[in-house]
Amino acid sequence: MIDLKYLQNNFEEASARLQKKGVESETLERLKTLFAELKDANAQLEAAKAEQNSMSKLFGQYKREGKDVTELKSKVDANKEAMVPLQERAREAEAALYELALAIPNFPDEDVPVGADEEDNVELRRVLEPRSFDFEPLEHWALAEKNGWIDFERGVKLAKSRFAVLRGDAARLERALINFFLDTNRQKGFEELCVPFMNNAQMLQGTGQLPKFEDDLFKIEDEDLYLIPTAEVPLTNMYHDEILPEKELPVLMTGYTPCFRKEAGSAGRDTRGMIRQHQFDKVEMVAIAHPDKSDEVFEMMVENASDILTALGLPHRVVELCTGDLGFSAARTIDLEVWLPGQNKYREISSISNTRDFQARRAKIRFKDGKKNRLVHTLNGSALAVGRTLIAIMENYQNADGSIEIPEVLKRYM
RNA sequence: AGGCAGGUGGCCGAGUGGUCGAAGGCGCACGACUGGAACUCGUGUAGGGUGAAUAGCCCUCGAGGGUUCGAAUCCCUUCCUGCCUGCCA
């Protein structure tokens, strides 16, 4: 959630920043009004409560002293009745404010390139030359069929469309990648965690998936549980409603989880192959950082993900997302896009974001700064998306006969 | 899943209708004592909202609702923990 006090006190500036992310200025006006309304309603209610509290104390005192309370009782009763509409007003003001506030995206950082959509993203650098083929490289689904690696039909039979089954060496490669990623992250100082794959609504609100993006989530029937769309949710919320000692920052965490997404807005996109599935494996990095140090941590995370791709010999490029392509919670995001020779395209394989204090405010994650409690910065990034790495290996390491080499660094995991 | 017992500050633990955001202890921080330390003594030590405020005021004793002038304390719902039974990897 954005800082409402900041919005109130620096409305023009805040409004300009959020317009870059597509938020209407009218919406922000309304938010500001609701915030003022809540403050006013609370001020009145609290004054009445203070009156009520002091009269109640008097009441007790009179009783002890054996005084007559009839007159006091009628005063206190009258005040209580007068409080009812104030209470109602405060309650409504709060509900209206939070309904709107929770749906407002994060401010982009000042230096994020302004743009409308992914066309306006900025390529920062390329790492490794794509190899040249003396034959026409195949797309991963064709290779999957030749090698018997991916059973799309049976995935659909077992579940529904956009589910697949990995078989034989593909399944082993998937497992090898997970281990390779976790080991690498651990060497960089990330603690490895194995977390629940279902989280409750409060956690999903903490990281920003709820309430706005409920349609993208698989919900468990009759339970306050959702299948996680990314390990960012459980890892970041590890410290939900906690206050960390400053010396523990940054907290670096990594974990493997499957991720579950309805892909509600993606009908018709990437229907062929395994690029976009309802379930996929991912190894995630999450950092809880001191607000003054989160930029350093961010750079480290980008570097780490890029190094992993390099170690695998996968050509990729580093792309800074423009304001229009930034996710809901992100202040800044860098995507790593891996080269897919079969598709003849760079495709997203990792996304690393600094959410600043946006998630921290929602999830109430703070640290002790001297005597005061301050919000931390939270960061997350894939290192890496496993299924897409598998695809990238297939396409980049294919031979003319359709067979696939195993990258050197993975051999000890197979 | 059923039965019983519980959920109070960083931790332990008292509190069964008012003077309780809460005794006492532990831990922690600072100060005194010391050559330095331990011990001892003193002081301080929950979170959030509003406020310029380290002032007042409001909210929070798992969560939500209710009774009452007044709720940590009574009632309802719900979540969680422990033990027993059932089930299961």
Side-chain angles (χ1 to χ4, degrees), chain A residues 91-373:
Chain A
R91 201 175 298 191
E92 279 171 13
E94 185 171 298
L97 176 68
Y98 283 103
E99 189 191 325
L100 185 62
L102 287 171
I104 305 290
N106 197 5
F107 295 107
D109 281 355
E110 296 294 356
D111 55 353
V112 169
V114 177
D117 53 37
E118 59 182 20
E119 297 299 312
D120 299 320
N121 292 345
V122 176
E123 181 180 305
L124 300 179
R125 59 183 178 272
R126 294 189 179 203
V127 182
L128 300 182
E129 271 297 297
R131 76 180 250 221
S132 58
F133 289 84
D134 49 17
F135 58 93
E136 189 65 26
L138 297 175
E139 301 204 59
H140 74 273
W141 52 80
L143 292 163
E145 193 176 340
K146 282 200 170 191
N147 290 278
W149 274 21
I150 309 178
D151 192 334
F152 291 104
E153 293 76 13
R154 288 195 177 84
V156 174
K157 177 170 77 178
L158 290 172
K160 61 183 276 192
S161 64
R162 289 193 192 271
F163 285 89
V165 176
L166 297 179
R167 308 192 72 142
D169 283 345
R172 294 178 64 224
L173 189 52
E174 180 92 354
R175 179 158 55 87
L177 284 168
I178 292 167
N179 286 330
F180 172 57
F181 294 162
L182 286 170
D183 284 349
T184 308
N185 293 345
R186 201 158 41 82
Q187 280 159 23
K188 293 277 170 72
F190 290 84
E191 183 195 1
E192 182 176 337
L193 283 79
C194 188
V195 293
F197 300 159
M198 298 176 205
N199 281 191
N200 62 45
Q202 204 169 34
M203 300 306 118
L204 283 138
Q205 180 171 306
T207 31
Q209 286 77 17
L210 286 179
K212 201 176 178 188
F213 304 102
E214 174 140 34
D215 290 348
D216 293 332
L217 299 169
F218 286 102
K219 186 174 192 316
I220 307 299
E221 198 175 1
D222 297 328
E223 296 277 356
D224 176 30
L225 289 171
Y226 296 80
L227 292 174
I228 54 170
T230 159
E232 169 196 340
V233 178
L235 291 180
T236 307
N237 282 296
M238 277 290 291
Y239 296 98
H240 190 106
D241 200 13
E242 292 195 26
I243 301 169
L244 291 152
E246 183 174 358
K247 64 177 190 307
E248 280 184 25
L249 301 179
V251 178
L252 303 176
M253 294 170 279
T254 189
Y256 151 74
T257 71
C259 303
F260 303 92
R261 299 185 184 176
K262 281 200 174 170
E263 296 294 349
S266 307
R269 293 182 69 185
D270 299 310
T271 47
R272 189 93 194 261
M274 211 181 57
I275 286 274
R276 196 176 297 274
Q277 298 277 290
H278 286 310
Q279 177 187 325
F280 61 94
D281 289 326
K282 182 156 61 66
V283 172
E284 185 77 359
M285 309 174 275
V286 162
I288 312 279
H290 189 290
D292 300 340
K293 304 274 178 61
S294 69
D295 289 321
E296 290 169 33
V297 176
F298 182 74
E299 294 303 327
M300 180 275 282
M301 288 166 73
V302 172
E303 197 117 322
N304 182 43
S306 176
D307 287 351
I308 292 175
L309 284 169
T310 306
L312 287 166
L314 293 172
H316 56 284
R317 59 176 194 167
V318 181
V319 174
E320 164 119 43
L321 298 198
C322 72
T323 52
D325 203 26
L326 277 183
F328 180 74
S329 298
R332 183 179 180 206
T333 297
I334 283 185
D335 275 5
L336 300 185
E337 297 181 351
V338 71
W339 176 249
L340 295 183
Q343 291 200 5
N344 198 38
K345 263 189 219 161
Y346 283 99
R347 294 297 307 251
E348 179 188 335
I349 195 164
S350 172
S351 188
I352 298 132
S353 298
N354 187 346
T355 78
R356 305 282 171 197
D357 61 10
F358 185 82
Q359 292 179 326
R361 186 171 294 103
R362 288 173 162 247
K364 305 187 194 76
I365 308 172
R366 293 145 294 167
F367 73 100
K368 273 263 180 262
D369 187 13
K371 293 200 82 170
K372 289 200 166 181
N373 297 324

